[in-house]
Amino acid sequence: MSTSANFVPPSHQRYLRACMVCSIVMTYSRFRDEGCPNCEEFLHLQNSQDQIESCTSQVFEGVITLANPARSWVAKWQRLDGYVGGVYALKVSGQLPDEVRATLEEERIQYIP
């Protein structure tokens, strides 16, 4: 998959959601069809309406576009340098369910609400 596949066209902006763990912004249908490109191994969003509703949020502030997160100082500043290229929210509102937070702790994944 090319990194351009993670960018969102302006006509789909009303359907956007942000992952509460990595803050990538995609449409609901992309989360349903593909899952989160950064967090799928532990969030299991693909084909799961309940997981998408509880682990992504429609409420977020600001967006940045990262074409090459490994080389971007903005990605390092936002702690996104290990993620795939795409559109990311600066701040995501919402709270992960307790069982998902427990899974993140077990996997030793740093979650910053």
Side-chain angles (χ1 to χ4, degrees):
M1 176 189 296
S2 69
T3 58
S4 63
N6 290 324
F7 295 99
V8 180
S11 62
H12 290 93
Q13 289 181 355
R14 76 173 75 169
Y15 308 109
L16 295 178
R17 300 185 71 86
C19 176
M20 287 191 224
V21 177
C22 71
S23 74
I24 194 164
V25 176
M26 299 191 323
T27 60
Y28 180 93
S29 60
R30 292 236 6 247
F31 277 117
R32 183 193 63 228
D33 296 343
E34 303 168 18
C36 179
N38 300 308
C39 309
E40 187 60 23
E41 65 187 59
F42 52 87
L43 286 185
H44 310 290
L45 300 179
Q46 190 172 9
N47 298 319
S48 176
Q49 180 179 349
D50 292 338
Q51 281 295 97
I52 294 170
E53 294 291 329
S54 61
C55 298
T56 66
S57 175
Q58 290 181 305
V59 183
F60 56 89
E61 296 177 27
V63 292
I64 55 174
T65 303
L66 298 174
N68 188 347
R71 296 184 55 192
S72 169
W73 71 267
V74 174
K76 287 181 177 79
W77 180 262
Q78 292 294 119
R79 294 182 298 277
L80 302 171
D81 50 331
Y83 295 152
V84 300
V87 178
Y88 288 84
L90 294 176
K91 179 181 177 185
V92 181
S93 297
Q95 189 168 359
L96 284 172
D98 291 336
E99 61 271 7
V100 174
R101 292 175 81 165
T103 302
L104 292 175
E105 288 176 12
E106 289 171 8
E107 297 286 329
R108 297 177 192 235
I109 297 169
Q110 185 180 13
Y111 170 64
I112 302 171

